[in-house]
Amino acid sequence: MSAPKTVGVVWGLLVLNTLGSAGARTIVPLPRSLIQMVTMGALVAAFALALAVNLRLRVRPSAYVLLLTLLLVPSVISSANLESGFGALFRCARLALFVGTLWLLSRWWDGELTFVRHHIRMYFAVLGSVAAGALVSPGAALPDLYGGRLVGALWPLTPPQIGQYAAVIIGLTVLLLVGRRTDRTGAAVIIVPSLVLLALTHTRTATLGLFAGLALAICSLVLTSAAARRFFVGAVLVAAVAAVAFGSWLQAWFLRGQSQENFASLTGRAKVWDALLAAPRTPLEQLFGTGLGDKSFGGLPIDNSWLAVYQEQGLTGVVLVAAVVVVLGGVALLRPPSLPRACAIFLISYCAIASYTEAGLGDASPYLLHLAVAASLLAVPAEAAPLPPPALPRRRAPRWARQAEVG
């Protein structure tokens, strides 16, 4: 069953909701309350539209969305203590609405590339706003506050966010090109500017996730696709030449001018992680966490999905999030080689790699949308309803036979 155009609108609203409200200073100052109103309004509108196109509440069984639904349990239990304030309950309601919208959209998860195309279009539009901001005000888009890294000058987006969006759509577009589901011109329009934006963000996590995820995805196709084999060989040769010719420049880009000590502590993240793990906790907090918050500890960002989930949803949340990654990864490995499977492997691998230095797997975020696309790609197509047997023509009795019966 083909998805109506409204589904693409719903997906775009979910993307808007997960952009967040904190980031760099924009050219035109936007009050955070206004941004939050827009993003939360987008989620409410997404749920309403999804409900409008699925009034009969037809959903498909999905282990992914089921696990997210179960994740609401520790979220609500920990947030009910109000240790993180009333904002925790608001975030629980947001997560519930987010998961409910995914349930309504699951009706159209059929193993096809529909949601991959929606994903690419929406995040390319976001990157378009970033490029427009850089053209209008280069100083605001490359501020000294972020070390000259690219930020959102029209909408408050941080370098890691922009790098994540660019890396994901680059990887998906490359796979569509390898699978001959798009032409070279269309792919170049997306890949080339996205690569430029990714380089300007100096985001190491996104870059590593892109290359590692693509390597795994392409390897899943090499036995069945000649185009994948050619791309793999060409990529290896290009990487070897680049490493020799631009080794010093690549090293400087990767270090971003940091000292070895700062790099070894992951830009200070390790200190926050050690303090979080050493903090005293009650048995209830260990099991269910302290409630949904802003993914920070002691006023500093946690920047690790697993520790953020442990802080906010406890060990129960960690087990559920791990189950999400394991289940999706296991299903992907069991599927026969195909382009949708390769796209799913790329998205799962990217999210798993990024989870080490980025938070988001335990709350409504772009990472959950990436995994939702992977779940839609791994869904088994619904079997078409069997056609009713053709009606046999009714034979009319001859007149003499009918007269005989009457007589």
Side-chain angles (χ1 to χ4, degrees), residues 228-254:
R229 290 192 289 271
R230 290 194 297 269
F231 180 86
F232 183 79
V233 173
V236 171
L237 292 176
V238 170
V241 172
V244 174
F246 306 103
S248 59
W249 182 85
L250 290 173
Q251 183 179 8
W253 180 91
F254 196 79

Side-chain angles (χ1 to χ4, degrees), residues 185-394:
T185 302
V189 169
I190 294 175
I191 293 173
V192 173
S194 299
L195 274 173
V196 173
L197 296 181
L198 175 60
L200 290 175
T201 63
H202 284 240
T203 308
R204 295 174 293 217
T205 299
T207 305
L208 291 175
L210 168 63
F211 289 122
L214 263 183
L216 293 173
I218 294 296
C219 286
S220 72
L221 291 172
V222 292
L223 296 179
T224 57
S225 170
R229 290 192 289 271
R230 290 194 297 269
F231 180 86
F232 183 79
V233 173
V236 171
L237 292 176
V238 170
V241 172
V244 174
F246 306 103
S248 59
W249 182 85
L250 290 173
Q251 183 179 8
W253 180 91
F254 196 79
L255 289 176
R256 295 197 313 233
Q258 295 176 334
S259 63
Q260 292 293 338
E261 180 182 358
N262 196 16
F263 179 74
S265 66
L266 297 173
T267 321
R269 291 185 177 96
K271 298 178 181 178
V272 179
W273 299 347
D274 292 340
L276 186 150
L277 292 173
R281 300 173 188 275
T282 65
L284 186 64
E285 289 175 342
Q286 280 193 331
L287 192 59
F288 297 114
T290 60
L292 293 184
D294 58 357
K295 313 298 176 288
S296 66
F297 180 80
L300 297 174
I302 297 175
D303 285 342
N304 180 288
S305 284
W306 304 101
L307 291 179
V309 171
Y310 174 64
Q311 169 72 10
E312 298 183 354
Q313 291 137 315
L315 293 174
T316 305
V318 172
V319 170
L320 290 172
V321 171
V324 166
V325 178
V326 171
V327 168
L328 287 177
V331 173
L333 292 176
L334 294 175
R335 290 283 186 268
S338 66
L339 179 59
R341 174 186 183 239
C343 291
I345 289 175
F346 167 74
L347 291 169
I348 297 167
S349 304
Y350 181 89
C351 291
I353 293 169
S355 67
Y356 185 65
T357 57
E358 296 290 337
L361 287 182
D363 204 349
S365 70
Y367 291 106
L368 292 191
L369 286 181
H370 302 335
L371 293 179
V373 174
S376 74
L377 293 167
L378 297 174
V380 178
E383 296 183 2
L387 297 175
L392 296 176
R394 187 175 180 180

Side-chain angles (χ1 to χ4, degrees), residues 11 18 27 48 52 91 110 119 126 177 196 199 203 245 249 290 315 333:
W11 200 257
T18 57
I27 299 173
R91 292 183 179 94
D110 55 3
H119 215 53
V126 174
L177 182 62
V196 173
T203 308
W249 182 85
T290 60
L315 293 174
L333 292 176

Side-chain angles (χ1 to χ4, degrees), residues 105-125:
L105 293 180
S106 67
R107 174 184 179 182
W108 293 282
W109 293 2
D110 55 3
E112 297 297 328
L113 298 169
T114 304
F115 285 89
V116 169
R117 299 188 185 279
H118 289 326
H119 215 53
I120 293 174
R121 291 191 194 105
M122 300 310 168
Y123 280 116
F124 188 67

